[in-house]
């Protein structure tokens, strides 16, 4: 096991260091819903107690080869969202957590949001989307709801990470350095999701684009701060799923969506922080924009032409994804093997590629396990480089990027260390990290309630 663990560590280290690895890294993972389907368990039970799938996911790990842990995709957590009375994350009759098209901010409330996004979220948006947190209705009990939501989330994640930890220990999966990874949204995607909703933001693009621009600018310091990882490391990354651009006209994308997004990636790059973006939908018309992002950005695609993407982006960036998961259920085993080889012939040459599917399966019926095993083994055996150790792509240098020095995050509900010291002057300086972590934990918890 130590040998395969070392191999996995080395191939990812090589990819992130612009070196052609021994073979193509494989990143395959299953959600709790998929594992529950394989085990014949009720999804509802598993979403309340992820330890129920421990033996099953161990069995799957024996069958499916992956260099990264096969248990991934942290779900919306019903024990947490229901404690807070969520209407933006609700469980269906079949046990799946659904995300309705809800509105947290009304069209005439933009100015309130622009003045202080964090305060607006706390005072106006959360009470609409999480009914139990509405203090005007539930009074002091709204405090209990928030506490229960946080405790339930932490308890679930502790159980989930315990199962993942056992898998990593037993199978020697690749791990990023602790604290070197985080997640955030693009500013306009965050604004469009649970705040204005998809339909609301589409109307705003036509009727009040200047408000969107101002809201993005106001949101940027908060968004930037939430995305900062605790540790800066070459193998770490800020994960950003990208939603809106495939539904936008290019001129609106260029004016409204792109500026704050690119700024955030450049600001992170200037600090030595890498970003992994997931281009949901079809991004073929935006490839020229992506070419302007910092070197070694990890770009995962859902749809698109592999040959064009590899030719235009394969030298500067680390490419991920694109292999259609639908092949698993529509092709024979031999056809899956053949398609995998054809795909690798396009994406593997020159390095800078990590194999994964175009999307994570939602249910067990989305995969044919025998075919999936054949695909992963084909990548492992066929995706071997005969020029391992050679340079791959362009080198990243944080000095090539200049930080925008946007205004720091402030809010009437965010207390800095200096403000804390004024209130409690006897607090020793050694407590600063504890105080700041407590404040930032709330900051991130509030943000993630809107994802």
């Amino acid at each position: 096991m130590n040998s395969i663990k070392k191999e996995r560590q080395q191939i990812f280290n090589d990819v992130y260091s612009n070196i052609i690895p021994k073979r193509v890294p494989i990143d395959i993972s299953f959600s709790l819903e998929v594992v529950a389907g394989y085990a014949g368990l009720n999804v509802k039970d598993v979403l309340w107690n992820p330890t129920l799938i421990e033996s099953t996911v161990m069995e799957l790990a024996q069958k499916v080869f992956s260099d990264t842990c096969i248990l991934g995709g942290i779900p919306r957590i019903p024990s947490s969202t229901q404690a807070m009375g969520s209407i933006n994350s609700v469980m269906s009759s079949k046990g799946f957590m659904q995300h309705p098209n809800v509105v947290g901010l009304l069209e005439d409330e933009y100015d309130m949001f622009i003045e202080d996004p964090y305060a607006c979220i706390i005072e106006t948006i959360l009470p609409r989307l999480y009914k139990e947190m509405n203090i005007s209705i539930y009074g002091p009990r709204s405090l209990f709801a928030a506490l229960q939501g946080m405790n339930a989330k932490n308890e679930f994640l502790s159980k989930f990470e315990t199962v993942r930890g056992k898998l990593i220990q037993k199978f020697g999966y690749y791990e990023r350095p602790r604290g070197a990874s985080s997640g955030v949204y693009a500013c306009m995607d965050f604004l469009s999701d649970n705040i204005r909703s998809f339909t609301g933001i589409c109307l705003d693009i036509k009727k009040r684009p200047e408000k969107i621009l101002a809201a993005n600018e106001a949101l940027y310091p908060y968004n930037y701060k939430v995305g900062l990882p605790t540790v800066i490391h070459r193998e770490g990354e800020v994960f950003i799923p990208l939603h809106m651009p495939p539904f936008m006209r290019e001129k609106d994308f260029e004016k409204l969506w792109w500026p704050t997004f690119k700024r955030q990636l450049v600001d992170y790059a200037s600090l030595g922080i890498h970003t992994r973006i997931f281009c949901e939908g079809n991004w073929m018309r935006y490839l020229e924009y992506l070419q302007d992002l910092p070197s070694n950005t990890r770009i995962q695609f859902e749809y698109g032409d592999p040959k064009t993407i590899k030719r235009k982006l394969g030298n500067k960036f680390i490419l991920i994804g694109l292999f259609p998961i639908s092949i698993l259920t529509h092709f024979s085993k031999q056809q899956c093997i053949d398609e995998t080889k054809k795909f690798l012939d396009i994406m593997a040459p020159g390095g800078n590629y990590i194999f994964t599917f175009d999307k994570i399966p939602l249910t067990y019926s989305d995969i044919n396990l025998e075919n999936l095993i054949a695909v992963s083994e084909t990548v492992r055996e066929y995706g071997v480089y005969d020029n391992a150790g050679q340079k791959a792509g362009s080198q990243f240098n944080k000095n090539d990027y200049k930080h925008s020095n946007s205004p720091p995050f402030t809010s009437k509900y965010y207390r800095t260390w200096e403000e804390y010291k004024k209130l409690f002057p006897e607090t020793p300086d050694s407590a600063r990290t504890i105080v700041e972590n407590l404040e930032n934990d709330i900051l991130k918890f509030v943000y993630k309630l809107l994802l």
Side-chain angles (χ1 to χ4, degrees):
M1 184 55 64
N2 285 336
S3 61
I4 187 63
K5 183 175 182 178
K6 289 180 180 178
E7 177 181 300
R8 285 167 168 156
Q9 189 69 40
Q10 187 62 55
I11 62 176
F12 275 100
N13 182 273
D14 287 344
V15 168
Y16 296 141
S17 303
N18 297 112
I19 296 172
I20 295 177
K22 176 182 178 181
R23 59 176 175 79
V24 173
I26 302 171
D27 180 6
I28 294 175
S29 64
F30 301 125
S31 66
L32 284 175
E33 292 88 345
V34 171
V35 180
Y38 173 76
L41 296 172
N42 189 321
V43 174
K44 295 180 181 179
D45 293 327
V46 172
L47 288 176
W48 278 82
N49 183 7
T51 62
L52 295 174
I53 54 90
E54 183 175 326
S55 61
T56 301
V57 77
M58 290 287 179
E59 180 182 324
L60 278 172
Q62 292 279 5
K63 295 180 177 182
V64 180
F65 184 85
S66 175
D67 293 309
T68 58
C69 185
I70 68 163
L71 180 59
I74 297 175
R76 297 174 187 273
I77 303 168
S79 57
S80 176
T81 58
Q82 290 175 192
M84 296 177 286
S86 172
I87 65 168
N88 72 328
S89 182
V90 295
M91 181 176 283
S92 72
S93 59
K94 294 183 178 180
F96 290 93
M97 298 301 291
Q98 298 177 324
H99 174 34
N101 187 39
V102 295
V103 178
L105 183 76
L106 304 182
E107 61 185 41
D108 60 353
E109 294 173 334
Y110 261 106
D111 290 342
M112 182 198 315
F113 183 87
I114 293 166
E115 180 180 357
D116 187 338
Y118 189 50
C120 181
I121 289 170
I122 292 171
E123 294 174 346
T124 303
I125 298 173
L126 290 187
R128 283 187 180 139
L129 302 182
Y130 292 86
K131 297 299 186 181
E132 294 283 339
M133 296 177 71
N134 192 326
I135 195 168
S136 64
I137 297 176
Y138 293 98
R141 177 156 182 88
S142 63
L143 301 177
F144 305 162
L147 180 60
Q148 288 175 349
M150 289 189 69
N151 287 344
K153 180 178 181 179
N154 291 336
E155 181 181 359
F156 178 93
L157 292 178
S158 176
K159 292 178 179 179
F160 184 84
E161 290 302 325
T162 295
V163 176
R164 288 190 81 253
K166 291 180 180 179
L167 284 164
I168 292 168
Q169 179 67 28
K170 182 173 181 178
F171 295 98
Y173 290 124
Y174 166 74
E175 290 184 273
R176 299 186 194 283
R178 186 177 296 274
S181 297
S182 65
V184 75
Y185 272 16
C187 283
M188 189 172 170
D189 285 345
F190 186 71
L191 184 66
S192 67
D193 198 2
N194 286 315
I195 295 179
R196 281 295 293 133
S197 79
F198 178 78
T199 53
I201 203 72
C202 288
L203 290 174
D204 295 341
I205 289 172
K206 296 179 180 180
K207 294 183 176 181
R208 51 190 71 85
E210 73 287 349
K211 294 296 185 182
I212 295 177
L213 277 173
N216 285 341
E217 289 296 325
L219 179 61
Y220 185 82
Y222 183 22
N223 212 63
Y224 171 84
K225 186 175 181 63
V226 169
L228 284 171
T230 306
V231 174
I232 298 176
H233 192 280
R234 179 179 57 205
E235 297 178 31
E237 62 187 25
V238 180
F239 176 65
I240 310 179
L242 310 180
H243 304 318
M244 283 298 298
F247 304 100
M248 300 176 69
R249 295 179 300 178
E250 185 174 343
K251 67 176 184 178
D252 294 327
F253 162 86
E254 184 176 27
K255 178 182 178 181
L256 302 176
W257 192 96
W258 180 252
T260 48
F261 170 72
K262 181 184 176 182
R263 186 199 313 169
Q264 190 158 356
L265 268 63
V266 171
D267 282 351
Y268 285 159
S270 72
L271 303 176
I273 299 171
H274 296 285
T275 309
R276 174 171 174 166
I277 60 176
F278 179 26
C279 297
E280 298 181 8
N282 192 325
W283 276 67
M284 293 302 293
R285 61 193 168 113
Y286 296 128
L287 296 187
E288 283 70 24
Y289 292 90
L290 296 178
Q291 287 175 337
D292 289 337
L293 295 178
S295 297
N296 272 22
T297 297
R298 297 116 196 222
I299 307 181
Q300 182 176 350
F301 287 94
E302 185 173 10
Y303 301 116
D305 175 49
K307 289 183 180 179
T308 303
I309 290 172
K310 181 69 175 181
R311 175 172 54 84
K312 290 190 174 185
L313 305 178
N315 185 62
K316 186 177 180 181
F317 307 107
I318 296 170
L319 303 179
I320 307 169
L322 273 177
F323 190 77
I325 199 167
S326 59
I327 285 177
L328 299 179
T329 52
H330 291 80
F331 286 58
S332 68
K333 179 179 177 180
Q334 186 57 52
Q335 287 175 321
C336 286
I337 292 172
D338 294 340
E339 290 297 316
T340 303
K341 291 180 178 179
K342 290 178 185 178
F343 182 78
L344 291 175
D345 286 341
I346 298 170
M347 300 301 297
N352 277 4
Y353 180 68
I354 298 172
F355 179 88
T356 192
F357 294 100
D358 55 354
K359 55 177 68 68
I360 295 177
L362 297 177
T363 67
Y364 183 61
S365 62
D366 290 336
I367 64 172
N368 177 309
L369 187 58
E370 182 183 8
N371 288 349
L372 187 147
I373 293 170
V375 167
S376 66
E377 291 297 334
T378 300
V379 179
R380 182 183 185 184
E381 297 168 5
Y382 188 78
V384 175
Y385 291 100
D386 57 11
N387 59 341
Q390 294 184 9
K391 180 182 176 181
S394 57
Q395 296 288 322
F396 169 83
N397 185 343
K398 69 177 184 179
N399 295 324
D400 292 338
Y401 306 98
K402 184 179 180 180
H403 201 286
S404 67
N405 291 319
S406 294
F409 170 74
T410 59
S411 172
K412 65 180 180 180
Y413 289 120
Y414 182 77
R415 184 175 294 163
T416 65
W417 165 249
E418 291 73 22
E419 291 169 337
Y420 187 92
K421 280 282 283 186
K422 288 181 181 179
L423 290 172
F424 307 101
E426 301 305 319
T427 307
D429 289 342
S430 60
R432 178 170 184 164
T433 299
I434 297 174
V435 170
E436 290 182 336
N437 285 346
L438 288 170
E439 195 73 31
N440 290 332
D441 284 346
I442 295 294
L443 195 76
K444 293 178 181 180
F445 178 72
V446 168
Y447 185 95
K448 291 180 180 180
L449 288 177
L450 298 176
L451 300 186

